[in-house]
């Protein structure tokens, strides 16, 4: 039986859309996954993961991946709106290979490398047809144009007959080409017109002439000698929603193959498909996959180790992550990919020079603080216990403690105050250095959802008590009592991507924000807003990062990141100039996603930006020139589809003295630190904190308050049981086993009372 965990989960889960193993996995333990649109690589069988990014400048999700069967260094991937990318170094770096494709119209969502030659690759457009390259992606030509209602769903190459290709579609058709796609013939058509999900040549095709295909709802079929057989006759395959078919590398001798299904996990046959066994031990399902907004398969792709007969290893992708088996599929282990422990928020104390304090939040459930520059960490947990949020001891469907941002009070040295931004309609506040937290409710706004809460704290917080909260839905909240209560200030109805406050806010009352449709300025503390990017030439730009000069009163300078580079203003937003000295790519996306300005900007003219797909760059001459400050092993940028409103590049407030910078962006629970202005970096792991007795004792008050109704029912049941015990004591006729009968009767009455009350 497949487990369906409902507690301590994070939503959405680490949905793994695709898994691919190195052709030499048995030797190098290397595999790749696309997880929620991001590309990760593991070189230890899935125990740890590296985020791949160099050259991947896509702002949307990656959707397909193919590995060479001959060269571990060759990979292809694609996204719908940015085209096809190729790697020749095992995924460490990528180049776009879109010559011959009209990216504005062509949406590549499927591609396969031929097993015969890495230069021969076939790619399918989501609704336009099929393309091929015979020169490793240098140029592409269209080789098939399909009806717009027909979508190519699968591509398969014949190993025994080079140049032979099969393609399947969403209405049950399979077509064949025997000349590398130059000409196509109808091969078979399913009577049910079912969408074909899986398509594979038998490894013994030369002798058995068999092709296997799996359908979306009607099970598995075989094509033998070009003739379609009936649906595979096996009552053991109880789930007809097929997702993938995979064969043992030694199929010709062990006759072993696997089928994955939407709901029921893995089926294995050791006799070429005559009989099947269903293995689910260790596989988990998420209720979220069945929700209407997702409607996603619980299980998907199967990949076997090339050394499968010896190591018995295979992988299964799914909605709840990536699963690994080392006993031919009998038992499974769920591997961490996008862990709930990855860092999504980082802040440095304004008194860092004296208190050495930094704080981080992970994706779900935990916030940590360090008082020694990251050498050791304490889990900030009191007040963050689940019953505080759920008002119940019952396990929630999903963990509500989804953090987005963390911020210190500018007066932290005196007031010890921190704030946390969450997913739901509230934020959190601590007035004792994170030791205890209080939930602050935000007013509900009709037809909006609080998500991506940016925290903006007035530089004059000690006197004006002002805190701002901005959300992805465009709502701006304001508090004038140090975050104890909030009111809705305005609703821009545009996704807010950054919020910044003038250092001279007490006198100029100025705020800036960036949204996906432009840059905005307010000079009345956020009551009204002026759009700064009205020019027609800027209408297609998306705006991301935004940073203000610490010397804004004198220099009127801001730096803004867009989908077409970084812009600078020196007149408080009236005019903007694109900074041209970054390594932009001509006619390609140049997303500037992250920006941070040195607190000593007046003297050192330093700021840092992250150019998506190219890395993190630093200037020490106000943007005239830039130098790279990453080593290709880490990336100071938020992970796509993992909600975060925190800037992943943080200067020490005493940067002029200590040259310290912190950052995050790893697939692992860790942050980065440099003490030489970004020339070199160390990795700081965030140690996991386990619950202890004190944590469990903290739950006692919640038993009394949060679940008081259930507690009251329990007390009633105990009271009834006590009365029953006394009554049974007066019943005459009870003989030698009187005590046993009394206790047994009392217990039975107690159980019946519980059932009736609950």
């Amino acid at each position: 039986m497949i487990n369906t965990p409902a507690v301590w989960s994070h939503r959405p889960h680490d949905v793994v859309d695709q898994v691919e193993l190195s052709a030499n996995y048995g030797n190098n333990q290397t595999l790749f996954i696309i997880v929620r649109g991001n590309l990760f690589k593991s070189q230890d069988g899935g125990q740890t993961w590296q985020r791949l990014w160099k050259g991947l400048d896509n702002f949307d999700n990656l959707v397909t991946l193919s590995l060479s069967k001959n060269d571990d260094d060759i990979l292809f991937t694609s996204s719908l709106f940015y085209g096809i990318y190729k790697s020749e170094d095992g995924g460490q770096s990528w180049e776009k290979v879109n010559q011959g494709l009209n990216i504005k119209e062509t949406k590549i969502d499927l591609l396969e490398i031929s097993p015969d030659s890495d230069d021969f690759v076939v790619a399918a457009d989501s609704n336009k047809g099929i393309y091929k390259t015979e020169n490793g992606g240098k140029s592409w030509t269209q080789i098939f144009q399909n009806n717009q209602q027909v979508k190519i769903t699968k591509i398969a190459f014949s190993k025994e007959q080079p140049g032979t290709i099969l393609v399947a579609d969403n209405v049950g058709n399979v077509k064949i080409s025997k000349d590398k796609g130059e000409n196509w013939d109808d091969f078979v058509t399913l009577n049910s017109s079912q969408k074909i999900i899986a398509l594979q040549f038998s490894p013994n095709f030369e002798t058995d002439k068999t092709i296997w295909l799996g359908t979306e709802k009607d099970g598995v079929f075989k094509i033998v000698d070009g003739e379609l057989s009936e649906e595979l006759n096996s009552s053991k395959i109880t789930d007809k929603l097929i997702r993938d078919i995979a064969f043992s590398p030694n199929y010709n001798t062990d006759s072993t193959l696997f089928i994955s299904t939407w709901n029921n996990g893995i089926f294995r046959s050791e006799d070429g498909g005559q009989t099947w066994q269903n293995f689910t031990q260790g596989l988990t399902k998420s209720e979220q996959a069945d929700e209407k907004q997702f409607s996603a398969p619980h299980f998907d792709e199967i990949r076997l180790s090339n050394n499968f007969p010896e190591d018995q290893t295979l992988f299964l992708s799914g909605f709840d992550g990536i699963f690994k088996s080392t006993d031919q599929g009998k038992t499974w282990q769920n591997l961490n990919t996008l862990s709930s422990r990855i860092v999504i928020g980082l802040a440095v104390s304004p008194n860092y020079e004296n208190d050495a304090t930094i704080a981080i939040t992970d994706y779900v459930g935990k916030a940590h603080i360090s008082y020694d520059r990251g050498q050791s960490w304490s889990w900030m947990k009191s007040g963050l216990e689940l019953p505080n949020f759920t008002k119940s001891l019952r396990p929630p469907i999903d963990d509500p403690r989804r953090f987005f941002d963390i911020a210190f009070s500018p007066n932290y040295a005196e007031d010890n105050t921190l704030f946390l931004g969450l997913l739901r309609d509230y934020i959190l506040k601590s007035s004792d250095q994170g030791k205890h937290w209080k939930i602050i409710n935000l007013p509900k706004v009709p037809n909006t959802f609080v998500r991506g809460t940016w925290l903006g704290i007035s530089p004059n917080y000690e006197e004006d008590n002002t805190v701002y909260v901005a959300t992805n839905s465009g709502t701006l909240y304001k508090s004038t009592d140090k975050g104890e209560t909030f009111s809705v200030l305005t609703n821009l109805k545009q996704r807010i991507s950054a919020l910044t406050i003038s250092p001279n806010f007490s006198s100029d009352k100025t705020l800036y924000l960036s949204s996906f449709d432009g840059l905005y300025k307010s000079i009345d503390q956020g009551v009204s807003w002026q759009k700064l990017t009205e020019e027609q030439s800027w209408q297609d730009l998306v705006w991301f990062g935004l940073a203000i000069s610490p010397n804004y009163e004198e220099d009127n300078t801001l730096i803004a990141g867009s989908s077409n580079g970084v812009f600078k203003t020196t007149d408080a937003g009236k005019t903007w100039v694109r900074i041209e000295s970054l390594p932009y790519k001509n006619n390609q996306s140049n997303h500037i996603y992250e920006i941070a300005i040195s607190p000593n900007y007046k003297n050192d003219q330093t700021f840092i930006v992250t150019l998506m797909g190219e890395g993190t760059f630093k200037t020490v001459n106000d943007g005239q020139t830039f130098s790279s400050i990453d080593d290709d092993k880490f990336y100071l940028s938020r992970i796509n589809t993992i909600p975060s409103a925190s800037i992943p590049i943080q200067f020490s407030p005493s940067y002029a003295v200590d040259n310290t910078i912190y950052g995050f962006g790893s697939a692992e629970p860790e942050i980065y630190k440099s003490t030489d202005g970004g020339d070199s970096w160390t990795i700081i792991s965030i140690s996991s904190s386990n619950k202890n007795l004190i944590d469990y004792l903290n739950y006692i008050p919640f038993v009394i308050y949060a679940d008081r109704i259930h507690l009251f029912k329990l007390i009633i049941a105990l009271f009834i049981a006590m009365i029953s015990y006394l009554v049974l004591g007066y019943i005459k006729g009870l003989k030698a086993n009187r005590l046993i009968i009394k206790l047994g009767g009392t217990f039975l009455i107690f159980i019946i009372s519980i059932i009736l009350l609950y």
Side-chain angles (χ1 to χ4, degrees):
M1 182 176 180
I2 302 174
N3 185 30
T4 306
V7 297
W8 318 115
S9 58
H10 58 285
R11 293 163 57 98
H13 292 257
D14 45 341
V15 182
V16 176
D17 299 305
Q18 192 165 356
V19 54
E20 296 290 346
L21 273 60
S22 161
N24 294 307
Y25 174 85
N27 296 321
N28 57 31
Q29 300 291 291
T30 297
L31 69 151
F32 300 80
I33 57 172
I34 294 179
V35 52
R36 288 176 59 179
N38 301 279
L39 183 58
F40 287 174
K41 177 181 182 179
S42 174
Q43 294 178 285
D44 55 12
Q47 298 305 305
T48 60
W49 298 92
Q50 175 193 358
R51 180 185 180 188
L52 301 181
W53 58 271
K54 193 74 172 179
L56 295 175
D57 58 359
N58 56 299
F59 185 57
D60 66 332
N61 291 346
L62 297 173
V63 293
T64 186
L65 176 69
S66 184
L67 274 62
S68 165
K69 306 297 187 295
N70 310 300
D71 186 340
D72 286 338
D73 287 335
I74 304 297
L75 301 87
F76 283 81
T77 189
S78 78
S79 77
L80 292 183
F81 297 98
Y82 293 85
I84 300 174
Y85 299 85
K86 180 183 181 181
S87 174
E88 297 181 349
D89 57 6
Q92 297 304 123
S93 64
W94 298 80
E95 290 290 338
K96 278 183 177 174
V97 286
N98 289 329
Q99 184 66 37
L101 301 175
N102 184 341
I103 297 306
K104 291 184 178 180
E105 296 182 1
T106 307
K107 313 300 181 196
I108 301 297
D109 61 359
L110 180 64
L111 53 81
E112 292 287 344
I113 304 173
S114 167
D116 304 314
S117 169
D118 296 335
D119 288 332
F120 182 32
V121 185
V122 174
D125 176 88
S126 57
N127 58 15
K128 291 286 184 181
I130 306 173
Y131 298 80
K132 75 171 181 178
T133 178
E134 294 189 71
N135 53 19
K138 293 177 182 177
S139 61
W140 297 84
T141 57
Q142 188 170 14
I143 55 176
F144 183 81
Q145 185 170 2
N146 56 294
N147 184 296
Q148 289 195 355
Q149 279 70 46
V150 176
K151 174 179 167 52
I152 302 300
T153 57
K154 208 66 181 177
I155 301 168
F157 291 95
S158 170
K159 296 180 181 179
E160 289 77 12
Q161 299 176 358
T164 297
I165 313 166
L166 292 177
V167 297
D169 63 30
N170 62 334
V171 290
N173 299 308
V174 179
K175 294 183 180 294
I176 187 169
S177 173
K178 297 182 179 180
D179 54 8
K180 293 188 174 182
E182 294 299 318
N183 296 282
W184 294 89
D185 295 310
D186 293 334
F187 193 51
V188 296
T189 299
L190 298 179
N191 293 330
S192 61
S193 300
Q194 267 295 309
K195 181 178 181 180
I196 298 172
I197 300 295
L199 182 68
Q200 295 278 7
F201 282 90
S202 164
N204 296 337
F205 182 75
E206 277 295 294
T207 56
D208 64 23
K209 308 297 182 184
T210 298
I211 296 165
W212 294 73
L213 61 85
T215 63
E216 185 177 41
K217 296 179 180 179
D218 286 346
V220 177
F221 294 80
K222 290 199 293 185
I223 306 170
V224 182
D225 271 333
E227 296 294 327
L228 183 66
S229 70
E230 294 296 320
E231 192 260 327
L232 198 64
N233 184 22
S234 176
S235 60
K236 295 292 185 181
I237 304 181
T238 54
D239 187 353
K240 303 301 183 183
L241 283 62
I242 307 303
R243 298 305 302 173
D244 201 6
I245 302 171
F247 298 89
S248 163
N250 279 14
Y251 181 76
N252 60 334
T253 57
D254 62 25
S255 301
T256 297
L257 72 155
F258 295 84
I259 290 174
S260 63
T261 63
W262 184 293
N263 289 298
N264 289 3
I266 285 287
F267 292 84
R268 186 185 77 190
S269 173
E270 295 181 295
D271 53 14
Q274 298 300 311
T275 60
W276 297 87
Q277 287 179 288
N278 184 208
F279 296 114
T280 62
Q281 186 177 340
L283 296 178
T284 58
K285 294 167 65 173
S286 165
E287 294 175 357
Q288 187 184 13
D290 297 323
E291 294 177 6
K292 185 176 180 181
Q293 67 192 84
F294 295 100
S295 189
H298 290 284
F299 308 104
D300 209 339
E301 292 197 340
I302 317 165
R303 294 294 181 269
L304 276 66
S305 164
N306 67 305
N307 197 36
F308 178 77
E310 283 73 38
D311 61 28
Q312 301 184 20
T313 297
L314 67 159
F315 291 83
L316 174 66
S317 68
F319 191 88
D320 210 24
I322 184 77
F323 301 91
K324 179 181 182 179
S325 173
T326 54
D327 57 7
Q328 298 190 44
K330 293 179 183 177
T331 60
W332 296 87
Q333 175 192 4
N334 192 338
L335 306 177
N336 274 327
T337 55
L338 279 181
S339 166
S340 61
R341 298 227 38 244
I342 60 175
V343 175
I344 56 86
L346 170 66
V348 182
S349 164
N351 192 38
Y352 177 80
E353 185 175 9
N354 299 311
D355 64 23
T357 299
I358 56 176
I360 67 100
T361 64
D362 62 25
Y363 183 24
V364 182
K366 290 185 179 179
H368 291 79
I369 193 165
S370 172
Y371 305 108
D372 54 12
R373 295 176 170 82
Q375 295 182 53
S376 61
W377 296 87
S378 298
W379 178 17
M380 301 184 290
K381 54 184 176 292
S382 184
L384 301 182
E385 297 92 349
L386 269 173
N388 258 325
F389 297 87
T390 62
K391 305 303 180 188
S392 173
L393 290 177
R394 292 185 174 184
I397 292 176
D398 62 285
D399 196 322
R401 300 167 301 176
R402 291 270 302 280
F403 303 124
F404 284 78
D405 199 4
I406 186 167
F408 286 89
S409 157
N411 195 42
Y412 180 74
E414 285 73 40
D415 62 25
N416 298 319
T417 297
L418 295 94
F419 292 91
L420 274 170
L422 275 87
L423 169 71
R424 311 286 179 166
D425 298 322
Y426 39 68
I427 65 166
L428 302 172
K429 178 183 177 181
S430 172
S431 300
D432 58 2
Q433 299 182 342
K435 295 180 177 66
H436 300 85
W437 292 88
K438 180 168 72 170
I439 298 175
I440 311 293
N441 290 314
L442 296 173
K444 292 185 180 295
V445 178
N447 302 318
T448 63
F449 184 62
V450 176
R451 189 179 183 91
T453 46
W454 288 84
L455 298 169
I457 305 178
S458 166
N460 197 38
Y461 173 79
E462 182 181 9
E463 297 179 7
D464 63 24
N465 306 322
T466 297
V467 181
Y468 291 94
V469 173
T471 73
N472 277 356
S473 63
T475 305
L476 186 65
Y477 302 88
K478 182 181 180 181
S479 170
T480 54
D481 58 4
K482 296 190 174 181
E484 295 297 318
T485 61
F486 283 84
S487 60
V488 177
L489 188 61
T490 186
N491 188 359
L492 295 176
K493 298 181 180 180
Q494 297 290 339
R495 181 175 178 180
I496 296 174
S497 53
L499 171 70
T500 190
I501 304 177
S502 164
N504 200 40
F505 181 72
S506 59
S507 59
D508 65 22
K509 304 178 181 179
T510 297
L511 298 91
Y512 291 88
L513 62 80
S514 62
S515 76
F516 275 21
D517 81 323
L519 301 175
Y520 292 83
K521 177 182 180 180
S522 173
I523 55 174
D524 56 8
Q525 298 186 6
V527 175
S528 60
W529 293 85
Q530 171 197 2
K531 189 174 183 180
L532 303 175
T533 51
E534 292 284 10
E535 290 86 346
Q536 187 62 38
S537 60
W538 288 10
Q539 295 307 302
D540 293 334
L541 295 186
V542 177
W543 297 88
F544 306 114
L546 183 64
I548 193 167
S549 164
N551 197 43
Y552 174 80
E553 183 179 10
E554 297 177 16
D555 60 25
N556 292 316
T557 295
L558 292 96
I559 311 292
S562 78
S563 54
N564 189 30
V566 62
F567 289 79
K568 176 183 175 183
T569 179
T570 55
D571 55 12
K574 295 177 182 176
T575 59
W576 296 82
V577 177
R578 187 176 190 257
I579 295 176
E580 300 292 349
S581 50
L582 280 163
Y584 299 127
K585 291 188 174 183
N586 293 331
N587 302 318
Q588 298 191 46
S589 56
N590 291 295
H591 299 300
I592 299 293
Y593 207 49
E594 319 292 358
I595 301 176
I597 291 182
S598 163
N600 192 38
Y601 176 71
K602 179 178 180 179
N603 299 312
D604 62 24
Q605 299 291 284
T606 295
F607 62 89
I608 296 174
V609 301
T610 298
L611 176 57
M612 187 177 289
E614 294 301 312
T616 305
F617 298 87
K618 172 184 170 184
T619 178
V620 294
N621 53 20
D622 205 19
Q624 296 181 49
T625 59
F626 284 87
S627 59
S628 173
I629 61 168
D630 60 53
D631 61 0
D632 295 352
K633 294 182 180 178
F634 65 90
Y635 192 29
L636 300 182
S637 181
R638 286 163 281 185
I639 298 177
N640 187 33
T641 73
I642 300 300
S644 169
S646 184
I647 301 171
I649 307 167
Q650 298 277 345
F651 282 92
S652 159
S654 52
Y655 178 74
V657 176
D658 59 29
N659 290 314
T660 296
I661 307 169
Y662 289 94
F664 68 84
S666 172
E668 300 292 330
E670 60 193 18
I671 62 173
Y672 310 114
K673 179 181 179 181
S674 173
T675 55
D676 55 12
D679 291 335
S680 62
W681 297 82
T682 58
I683 295 176
I684 299 175
S685 296
I686 310 300
S687 60
S688 178
S689 303
N690 295 318
K691 286 184 177 291
N692 53 36
L693 178 61
I694 299 300
D695 296 315
Y696 289 108
L697 291 177
N698 284 337
Y699 278 72
I700 293 176
F702 303 124
V703 175
I704 299 172
Y705 173 72
D707 253 6
R708 55 193 181 279
I709 294 176
H710 296 99
L711 180 62
F712 180 67
K713 292 179 179 179
L714 179 62
I715 292 173
I716 292 175
L718 288 171
F719 179 74
I720 293 172
M722 290 174 61
I723 296 298
S724 302
Y725 181 82
L726 295 174
V727 170
L728 288 171
Y730 287 98
I731 297 177
K732 295 181 178 181
L734 298 178
K735 299 181 180 180
N737 294 326
R738 182 175 182 177
L739 179 61
I740 295 175
I741 293 172
K742 285 172 65 178
L743 291 175
T746 300
F747 179 73
L748 180 61
I749 291 172
F750 174 72
I751 295 300
I752 293 172
S753 300
I754 290 289
I755 294 172
L756 293 174
L757 287 169
Y758 281 78

